[in-house]
Amino acid sequence: MNSQDEHVSPLLDGIKQALDTPPDTTSKRAQILADISRLQLAVETPLETIYRIGHQTWQNACVRIALELGVFDMLVAKKETSIGVQELACANGADPVFLGE
């Protein structure tokens, strides 16, 4: 077992166990998310880390635009049914091509 395996195996075991019994508290969910983050850091290459961090700005901008357009509220309101880009665009006046990207 190499050094990376020694760090990854316990994280995987903890995540698998957590998935067997869904978290019922915020602190349990927070612990699972922290384990997932540690797992990602343990297995990604330095180049993947650079790409992830470098693209974070664009992802944040997209999330902010979606928030301002009310996209997430519309998705939550639809719950079990799907909603297309055209419908989202019509509901908030956005350009469907822009919204689809």
Side-chain angles (χ1 to χ4, degrees), residues 2 5 16 21 26-27 41 50 53 59 62 71-72 74 81 84 86-87 89-90 93 95:
N2 67 33
D5 290 341
K16 287 177 187 175
T21 56
T26 301
S27 63
L41 292 173
I50 290 169
I53 293 169
Q59 293 170 350
C62 291
V71 170
F72 298 119
M74 287 184 268
T81 60
Q86 201 66 35
E87 187 178 349
C90 287
D95 182 320

Side-chain angles (χ1 to χ4, degrees), residues 1-61:
M1 183 179 277
N2 67 33
S3 177
Q4 184 177 8
D5 290 341
E6 291 174 11
H7 290 96
V8 170
S9 292
L11 290 170
L12 282 174
D13 292 341
I15 292 167
K16 287 177 187 175
Q17 183 180 6
L19 293 175
D20 288 340
T21 56
D24 58 352
T25 65
T26 301
S27 63
K28 286 182 183 178
R29 282 190 295 281
Q31 182 59 50
I32 294 167
L33 290 172
D35 288 344
I36 291 169
S37 293
R38 283 193 293 280
L39 178 62
Q40 179 181 3
L41 292 173
V43 299
E44 74 183 359
T45 66
L47 186 58
E48 290 167 335
T49 302
I50 290 169
Y51 285 150
R52 179 176 48 81
I53 293 169
H55 288 109
Q56 189 65 49
T57 303
W58 292 106
Q59 293 170 350
N60 291 346

